[in-house]
Amino acid sequence: MRNTRSRGARLTASALAVALATTACSSGGKEAAADDSAAGANAAGSSGYTIAMITHEAPGDTFWDKIKAGAQQAAKDEGVTLKYSSDPDAAKQAGLIQSAVDSKVNGIATTLVTPDALAGSVKAATDAKIPLIGFNSGIDQYQKLGALMYFGSDENLAGSTAGKRIQEAGAKHPLCAIQAAGSVALEARCAGVKSVLPATENLQVNGADDAAVVSTLQAKLAQDKSIDYIVTLGAPIAIDALKAMDAAGSSAKLITFDLNAEAAQNIKNGKIEFSIDQQPYLQGYLAVSSLYLYLKNGNDIGGGKPVLTGPSFVDKTNVDKILPFTKANTR
């Protein structure tokens, strides 16, 4: 998320337009089925294309269920064979990309959360003339790495917008909890908050261990009562933060990035102020559909710029509308 593009050129509206276009049509221009199990859905592989999706998914993180749901729906709509794999370890994710290259898939969609570690395997794909697109992480690095397109949120913008919102609400000393070391997306979110509120303090937590997250946050909140806002970077971490706040007797307010049904319910109940949502279902859907359209027609979505799926704010004013979609795993 650093310095490789003009923020003013971002296509914040294009993600919706693309989503409408890709859900309206499927292979051969047939109307796509709205339901996964509908008789009109295209058979897997009917387009002749196999697309590999490779992410840095951490076990137990509900965020990735939405990514996969979107990708699976797009694969059905387009008649694509989808091969999904993941590993939170950067070297192992690079190995999965290389395996996809070796298996000669038609296209690759991958998160670029650790760009330096993935550069070699991404180059292997481009050298093999396999179209590769980035999504979710690596918005500032995808072009340098050789990815054709990108779908995701502007995390610097998301962080600074969240920072401005809590600053207006009176925040002085936010605590930003980072659950995965080395993630360019998570670092950018906290940096965005800090750009508005310089007193923002980062705290590394182990996102793979909920109990450890709770204990680390609880200890910090008990030790420093000046913390008035907690910023978590994933919905499951927000739920851990609520437990830590209760245990520490903290009066801090909580905001979170990303969304799941439990976090949405807590927004409705007033326990979480708001969520900064990047629409992961849409990211998964567009990643697969964009490769299908590129392979079928040579289409290039975004005109050389990243296509934004966020930031999109969810708070008490709109949570009632969005809550059913979170339960359906589409928002």
Side-chain angles (χ1 to χ4, degrees):
M1 296 39 187
R2 299 183 182 89
N3 301 329
T4 61
R5 82 287 180 215
S6 170
R7 183 168 295 156
R10 288 301 170 76
L11 305 179
T12 54
S14 61
L16 178 59
V18 172
L20 292 173
T22 53
T23 51
C25 297
S26 60
S27 178
K30 293 184 293 182
E31 184 176 344
D35 186 89
D36 284 4
S37 60
N42 293 319
S46 62
S47 70
Y49 300 134
T50 296
I51 291 174
M53 174 172 279
I54 300 141
T55 76
H56 60 283
E57 174 183 355
D61 189 339
T62 54
F63 176 88
W64 299 101
D65 295 340
K66 300 176 190 294
I67 292 274
K68 286 184 282 189
Q72 289 163 354
Q73 185 60 56
K76 288 184 178 182
D77 289 350
E78 315 295 10
V80 165
T81 297
L82 178 68
K83 293 184 175 181
Y84 181 91
S85 60
S86 64
D87 202 298
D89 181 272
K92 292 179 180 178
Q93 186 185 357
L96 292 172
I97 297 172
Q98 184 63 56
S99 294
V101 173
D102 294 341
S103 68
K104 298 181 180 179
V105 297
N106 299 107
I108 296 172
T110 186
T111 58
L112 299 168
V113 67
T114 48
D116 291 343
L118 302 180
S121 57
V122 171
K123 185 177 186 301
T126 57
D127 286 349
K129 309 299 183 186
I130 298 174
L132 181 146
I133 66 99
F135 72 100
N136 178 258
S137 299
I139 191 170
D140 286 328
Q141 295 85 9
Y142 81 98
Q143 290 178 324
K144 181 179 178 181
L145 291 177
L148 295 172
M149 293 172 264
Y150 183 86
F151 303 94
S153 183
D154 181 334
E155 302 295 6
N156 278 316
L157 175 62
S160 62
T161 305
K164 290 174 185 176
R165 184 161 174 168
I166 64 174
Q167 181 188 52
E168 291 170 359
K172 303 294 184 186
H173 182 192
L175 179 70
C176 194
I178 301 175
Q179 74 267 23
S183 167
V184 292
L186 301 186
E187 295 285 352
R189 290 174 176 180
C190 288
V193 176
K194 191 175 180 68
S195 70
V196 178
L197 290 158
T200 300
E201 183 177 352
N202 292 357
L203 179 69
Q204 189 71 51
V205 298
N206 180 6
D209 185 340
D210 287 323
V213 174
V214 174
S215 62
T216 302
L217 283 171
Q218 180 183 341
K220 180 64 178 177
L221 293 171
Q223 177 264 327
D224 189 348
K225 297 295 185 181
S226 71
I227 294 168
D228 53 6
Y229 268 84
I230 301 168
V231 182
T232 59
L233 307 181
I237 308 301
I239 306 308
D240 294 337
L242 288 173
K243 296 175 184 176
M245 291 162 65
D246 286 343
S250 173
S251 60
K253 295 181 179 180
L254 175 63
I255 69 169
T256 190
F257 284 76
D258 301 335
L259 196 63
N260 62 17
E262 189 173 5
Q265 188 62 52
N266 276 289
I267 292 171
K268 181 177 175 65
N269 295 342
K271 293 184 177 181
I272 298 175
E273 300 296 305
F274 60 86
S275 167
I276 308 98
D277 185 28
Q278 60 177 307
Q279 302 188 89
Y281 179 93
L282 188 58
Q283 291 176 12
Y285 193 100
L286 292 175
V288 172
S289 286
S290 67
L291 280 169
Y292 164 78
L293 290 169
Y294 180 84
L295 291 163
K296 183 174 185 287
N297 302 322
N299 295 131
D300 176 10
I301 301 171
K305 302 294 182 181
V307 178
L308 297 186
T309 63
S312 176
F313 285 84
V314 180
D315 57 22
K316 277 193 169 183
T317 67
N318 60 359
V319 69
D320 284 334
K321 179 179 180 180
I322 291 172
L323 189 54
F325 298 127
T326 68
K327 293 177 179 178
N329 218 32
T330 57
R331 182 67 189 268

